Amino acid sequence: MSEEVTAVGWDAIDQSLAKVYGDQEPMHYGTMIPYSLGGQDPLDGISAYKSESPIPHWHFVTYGFSELYEKELENKEYSGYGFELTFRLVRHEDEEEPPAWALNLLQNMGRYVFNSGNVFRKGDYLDANGPICLDSDTQLTALAFTHDPELAEMDTPNGKMEFIQMVGISEDELEAMQTWNTLGVLEAGIEQIPSYITDLTRPSLLQNPKVQEAVERGIEEEGSNTGFLFVDQLAWEEGKKGWFHKQSNIMQLGAKQAEVISKLLRGRLLKNKNLSLVGQQTTILFKADDQVGYYETEQEITITLNKDAVEELSQNLVPQEGQFTISTLAGVSFQILKTHIKNQEGAVVKTIG
């Protein structure tokens, strides 16, 4: 039996795209050596379609996050990770082929998922810590994820899957999504980014007063949807016992995320919602409570704060190296460390704090 006959997942994706593009033959970029055999690219392939609506753009679709061939995983409900990524990118008049950086970006998303096991769902976001197109003069330094507006969730012989569209976003848009919610910010800016098409040359959505107002209103009324935040620089140092007293425990975090954590504490705890900061070795849970304090378990450190403590802590969380305490929380001090932003070669390109 040939591979083509058994590629039932692949065929299902093609059939879904045929409903949108008819007989258009996409430009397809396959992988020579499978990732499982030591190849560099985890995705089996990426197709790029020319779309004219609502503006000329490339419509990329991945093959490889779902099960493309025979069913192998035990989970019968979903095909593979349960999704494929799409990406819409402004197409210039003289472009006959899609830019290579976009293909590389999608393969990098494949490496991230395959290596970490983390999957993308609508409403997610990811900080790229630099331009999504390397060496370009763009404000887009992060990615948001939503449903593809033309490709619906579908059942395949290998289980359900959906098409999750990746959208380039700016640093301040990322912060707005963290402190309110991803889909709300994207919807508020839909007139500027129709069909969530990525345009490397566009300014921030928040320069539009209507979008800024919608974000501020959303934060005020709803608070933040971000219940978990992954923090690269996060640590908890146990206080040492001296002759007469025990030194404070120290919560350490990086300057880059200090400001957004400040806003998240307000957006979560003041709405009576918890906030978990998840680091490499440590998880710190902030909970709203009338009593201010902390306790430790094997799984995490929990810090309880009332309204006044939230306000005091938030005011001190600034992107500047230093150490401080808050008046109502005994036994804990907070230390903000410099954050060094590095490029792909590992060289420091920016220092915060």
Side-chain angles (χ1 to χ4, degrees), residues 42-223:
L43 302 176
D44 287 40
I46 301 170
S47 283
Y49 289 83
K50 282 186 174 181
S51 179
E52 306 301 330
S53 177
I55 59 174
H57 66 276
W58 295 106
H59 187 190
F60 299 89
V61 182
T62 67
Y63 293 76
F65 291 105
S66 62
E67 290 172 280
L68 302 174
Y69 309 105
E70 295 176 347
K71 182 69 182 175
E72 295 181 358
L73 300 182
E74 291 182 9
N75 188 331
K76 304 298 183 187
E77 186 178 0
Y78 292 98
S79 174
Y81 288 108
F83 72 95
E84 291 292 349
L85 281 180
T86 72
F87 183 50
R88 295 175 187 267
L89 180 66
V90 166
R91 189 178 86 248
H92 301 294
E93 195 173 336
D94 58 346
E95 271 187 341
E96 291 302 320
E97 293 188 7
W101 71 263
L103 301 168
N104 291 334
L105 180 62
L106 286 163
Q107 288 288 3
N108 281 336
M109 294 302 102
R111 293 183 189 94
Y112 170 79
V113 171
F114 282 45
N115 293 334
S116 70
N118 297 328
V119 300
F120 296 119
R121 295 287 181 255
K122 68 171 184 176
D124 288 345
Y125 50 73
L126 183 71
D127 190 351
N129 287 319
I132 62 170
C133 173
L134 293 178
D135 301 323
S136 67
D137 184 20
T138 180
Q139 292 187 38
L140 307 185
T141 58
L143 298 162
F145 299 85
T146 185
H147 275 144
D148 187 291
E150 289 186 300
L151 300 173
E153 181 178 330
M154 65 179 183
D155 290 312
T156 78
N158 291 331
K160 289 190 296 188
M161 62 151 288
E162 57 187 347
F163 294 94
I164 299 294
Q165 184 168 317
M166 189 169 72
V167 188
I169 57 172
S170 63
E171 186 176 0
D172 59 346
E173 291 164 3
L174 171 64
E175 187 174 296
M177 291 174 182
Q178 291 171 324
T179 52
W180 181 28
N181 73 72
T182 301
L183 301 181
V185 175
L186 289 176
E187 192 173 326
I190 190 64
E191 290 184 7
Q192 290 162 261
I193 47 170
S195 295
Y196 306 126
I197 296 168
T198 294
D199 179 356
L200 293 177
T201 65
R202 74 168 177 84
S204 166
L205 299 175
L206 297 176
Q207 290 188 18
N208 183 320
K210 288 184 179 179
V211 177
Q212 180 71 46
E213 183 183 336
V215 170
E216 290 173 355
R217 186 171 61 249
I219 293 170
E220 180 67 29
E221 294 176 359
E222 303 167 22

Side-chain angles (χ1 to χ4, degrees), residues 247-266:
Q247 293 178 339
S248 288
N249 298 295
I250 303 173
M251 176 184 156
Q252 297 177 330
L253 67 149
K256 182 179 190 293
Q257 290 181 296
E259 197 166 8
V260 73
I261 291 170
S262 167
K263 293 179 180 179
L264 284 176
L265 286 169
R266 288 194 180 100

Side-chain angles (χ1 to χ4, degrees), residues 226-235 251-254 257-258 260-262 264-265 268 274-286 299-301 303 313 317 334:
T226 302
F228 296 84
L229 184 69
F230 293 97
V231 182
D232 288 336
Q233 289 174 277
L234 183 70
M251 176 184 156
Q252 297 177 330
L253 67 149
Q257 290 181 296
V260 73
I261 291 170
S262 167
L264 284 176
L265 286 169
R268 296 291 296 181
N274 297 341
L275 173 65
S276 284
L277 304 182
V278 182
Q280 304 288 345
Q281 308 290 336
T282 306
T283 297
I284 299 177
L285 172 65
F286 287 94
Q299 287 75 35
E300 62 192 9
I301 294 99
I303 298 176
L313 178 55
L317 287 173
F334 299 86

